[in-house]
Amino acid sequence: MSAAHTDEEGSRVFYVCMRHILYTLYERRLLRQVAGRAVPRHVGLILDGNRRYAREYGLPDPLDVYGRGATKLDDLIEWCRQLGIPAVTLWVFSTENFRRSAAEIAGILGAVELKLARLADDRRVARLGVRLRAVGRLELLPDSTLAAIRAVEAATATHQALTLTIAIAYGGREEIADAVRALLREGVKRGEALEEMVERVTPEAIGRYLYAPDLPDPDLIIRTSGEVRLSGFLLWQSAHSEFYFCDVHWPAFRKIDFLRAVRAYQDRERRFGR
C-alpha cells in the first residue's frame, strides 16, 4: 500500500470520526433546547423523497429503497418515546400512488408488509407501549397487506404509550367525503328526513366520522424532501397545525432533523385563529 493511499485513508477515517463527534454534540445541544418545553401531542409526517434518494444512491429495486425508509421507523419510535410524544401519523401511501407503476406499488406495499410483520413480533414495541393501526381506504389494498395490518393491530391493541397510525391508501379529500357519507348513512338508518340530515352536517359532526376521530388534531406536520405542500394529508385536521418542511429525503432523515422540527414548533406562537 502506497504512502499516498495510506494518507488518504487516514484522512477519510479522521473526517468520519470528526463528523460523528460534531453530530453527537449538536444532537445533545438540540435535546437540551427541546427538553422541558411543551412537545406536540400529535405529529404527522409525510414520508417523501424515496425515489429521489434511490436515484442519488443508485438503488434500482423499489423494495430496497422503500425498505430503507421502513427501517427509519424504528428510529422515529425511539425519538418520539424519548420526547414523550403520544401520537404519530405517517403517510406512507396515497390513493394517488395507485397510479404508479406496478413494480413501484409492489415495492412500497411489500416494504410495508415486511415492516408491519416485524413490528408485530418486536419485543421493543411492547416494551415501549406502541400501538399500531392503519387508516385509509383499506379495502383497496391487496389481501396480503391487509393481513399484515390486521396482525399488527391485534398484536399491539392493548398498548397505550404511543399511538402510531399508518395512513395507507389515504387521501384527505377521500377521508372528508367518506366522513360525510357515513354521517348521512347514519341519518338514513335512524329514519331522519333530508332536512334533518342536512342540519346535522356540522364541523363537529363530520369530525366524529373521520378515520381516527379519537386522535387529537396534529400540532405539527413534517414533510421531508423539500416539497412545500400538504398534498392532501390530514386536510380536515390540519386547520391549526404548524408545518415544517425539511430538505432531507425520508430514508436519510436523522434525529437532528426531527429535533429541529420540534424546536421550530416550540418557537412558534400558536393563536388558533384568535
Side-chain angles (χ1 to χ4, degrees):
M1 183 181 294
S2 67
H5 182 80
T6 302
D7 290 343
E8 181 180 338
E9 181 65 18
S11 298
R12 188 188 67 81
V13 172
F14 175 77
Y15 171 76
V16 170
C17 290
M18 286 301 300
R19 185 175 61 178
H20 176 73
I21 291 170
L22 292 173
Y23 176 92
T24 302
L25 291 173
Y26 182 49
E27 179 187 305
R28 290 175 181 173
R29 178 188 175 193
L30 285 170
L31 273 173
R32 287 194 300 270
Q33 293 174 342
V34 168
R37 303 172 67 188
V39 297
R41 296 173 304 157
H42 181 188
V43 176
L45 284 105
I46 303 173
L47 313 184
D48 197 13
N50 291 283
R51 290 188 291 182
R52 276 163 281 182
Y53 180 90
R55 287 193 293 269
E56 286 182 16
Y57 289 90
L59 303 173
D61 185 356
L63 184 58
D64 184 8
V65 66
Y66 287 105
R68 295 192 185 197
T71 301
K72 185 62 62 175
L73 181 55
D74 297 329
D75 296 330
L76 181 65
I77 290 172
E78 291 283 357
W79 304 338
C80 290
R81 289 294 292 122
Q82 184 180 13
L83 295 181
I85 295 171
V88 182
T89 297
L90 308 179
W91 196 10
V92 302
F93 189 80
S94 73
T95 49
E96 294 178 349
N97 289 155
F98 281 111
R99 302 173 186 170
R100 295 186 179 183
S101 70
E104 188 168 358
I105 293 172
I108 298 171
L109 298 183
V112 169
E113 290 176 23
L114 288 172
K115 188 58 185 178
L116 293 181
R118 289 169 184 161
L119 290 173
D121 296 325
D122 192 337
R123 293 182 179 179
R124 187 186 56 162
V125 168
R127 175 174 56 83
L128 294 175
V130 182
R131 175 192 175 198
L132 283 100
R133 63 180 180 181
V135 297
R137 290 188 168 174
L138 305 184
E139 70 278 4
L140 301 178
L141 296 170
D143 291 342
S144 56
T145 308
L146 270 177
I149 289 170
R150 298 311 179 204
V152 76
E153 287 180 332
T156 64
T158 60
H159 302 167
Q160 299 180 357
L162 170 63
T163 299
L164 177 60
T165 304
I166 306 297
I168 183 169
Y170 173 87
R173 290 179 174 178
E174 287 83 357
E175 179 179 22
I176 296 169
D178 287 346
V180 173
R181 277 193 287 265
L183 172 61
L184 296 177
R185 287 193 190 103
E186 190 65 28
V188 171
K189 287 181 182 178
R190 286 198 295 262
E192 294 178 354
L194 177 60
E195 189 60 33
E196 289 180 281
M197 289 189 287
V198 169
E199 290 302 316
R200 289 184 61 241
V201 179
T202 64
E204 294 74 20
I206 292 172
R208 291 194 292 271
Y209 288 89
L210 296 173
Y211 294 149
D214 56 318
L215 284 179
D217 289 345
D219 296 308
L220 171 64
I221 293 179
I222 303 168
R223 181 167 187 158
T224 59
S225 201
E227 299 294 342
V228 186
R229 60 179 182 271
L230 285 182
S231 299
F233 181 54
L234 300 180
L235 282 179
W236 185 273
Q237 301 91 328
S238 62
H240 298 295
S241 300
E242 301 295 333
F243 304 120
Y244 184 86
F245 300 100
C246 172
D247 289 335
V248 177
H249 302 318
W250 169 244
F253 192 67
R254 304 159 298 177
K255 188 175 184 178
I256 62 170
D257 301 311
F258 186 67
L259 292 173
R260 283 171 174 165
V262 173
R263 183 182 63 180
Y265 161 81
Q266 292 173 329
D267 288 341
R268 294 174 188 173
E269 180 182 358
R270 307 190 72 203
R271 302 190 181 192
F272 299 97
R274 293 191 293 269

